[in-house]
Amino acid sequence: MEINDLDLKGYLFAYIVVQLPAYGHIREIVTPNGEILSIYKNSKLSWGGVKRSLSVLDDEAYIQVKYNNISDPGLYTVNISWDPLYIKTVDSKDRVLSNVELRVEGIDTIFLTNESGWGILKVYKPGIINITATYKGKTVQELQIKTLISHQIVLRCKVYDLKVTVQTMLNQGLSDAEVTLIDKDTGEVFETAITDKNGETIFIQIPHGEYEVQGSYKRISNSMKVNMDDNKEILLKLNIVLIIPFFN
């Protein structure tokens, strides 16, 4: 911080005071003349024929910059170490959710969680922390931290599983049916899968939102809408009465 003569004008005594949240640690204060001050507790140092008051503790500090007619304007540098914030992203089933984009407002930081779901945020200033989590282009969670108490946060995201069963009109499971998941917001194909021998397939870790599920088998198709606000199972019937082996 820069202190000039105008800042000190009209004051008999003046101090710089620094107070940090629990995750900040003051290492040292560097005065305009390059003097490094650290680990002082309510002390007084010789200063132009008077005693300058100062204290440099872990989370708070003060230093006198004017005493009557004696002042020390200029650039004061406070070197601080900040404890990092560890954020782990998981889905609705508490499974690891990797490659989640975390945008931190106020600190203007964007980073991705790793394969284990962890992201490391270097919190370098106090204040409210707003975090927005985006997965596969969709906002899946928002978090506001007013007071940072814990340095490890688990962020449960709105990401779910969708099980689709494709059957004939007589409840026969259709294997090798193609199931396509279409994002209703963009109209784009989100994911495509093939059913197993029981006519089932599962879409894993789908962001919340509205989708259209299309199922097709040998040019016969059907579709339905699904709102992914939870883990869901749906049944999709095609206008097929019976599949006869070897004859189709």
Side-chain angles (χ1 to χ4, degrees), residues 194-212:
I194 302 298
T195 58
D196 60 16
K197 63 180 181 180
N198 298 315
E200 300 174 349
T201 190
I202 299 178
F203 294 96
I204 304 295
Q205 294 185 330
I206 304 300
H208 76 108
E210 293 208 357
Y211 297 85
E212 181 178 350

Side-chain angles (χ1 to χ4, degrees), residues 105-118:
E105 297 177 13
I107 302 180
D108 299 325
T109 300
I110 301 175
F111 58 97
L112 293 176
T113 57
N114 60 23
E115 292 182 357
S116 300
W118 286 102

Side-chain angles (χ1 to χ4, degrees), residues 128-163:
I128 296 176
I129 302 173
N130 293 301
I131 301 174
T132 301
T134 303
Y135 182 66
K136 295 184 177 180
K138 288 181 173 289
T139 298
V140 292
Q141 193 55 272
E142 293 179 324
L143 174 67
Q144 184 179 83
I145 304 174
K146 295 183 178 179
T147 302
L148 185 58
I149 299 175
S150 173
H151 288 276
Q152 289 191 359
I153 296 175
V154 176
L155 190 61
R156 183 171 288 103
C157 299
K158 299 174 184 178
V159 176
Y160 311 104
D161 290 354
L162 174 64
K163 180 180 178 181

Side-chain angles (χ1 to χ4, degrees), residues 7-27:
D7 295 324
L8 302 177
K9 184 179 179 180
Y11 295 98
L12 187 61
F13 304 103
Y15 299 82
I16 293 175
V17 179
V18 179
Q19 292 181 313
L20 299 180
Y23 50 89
H25 310 279
I26 299 173
R27 299 201 313 270

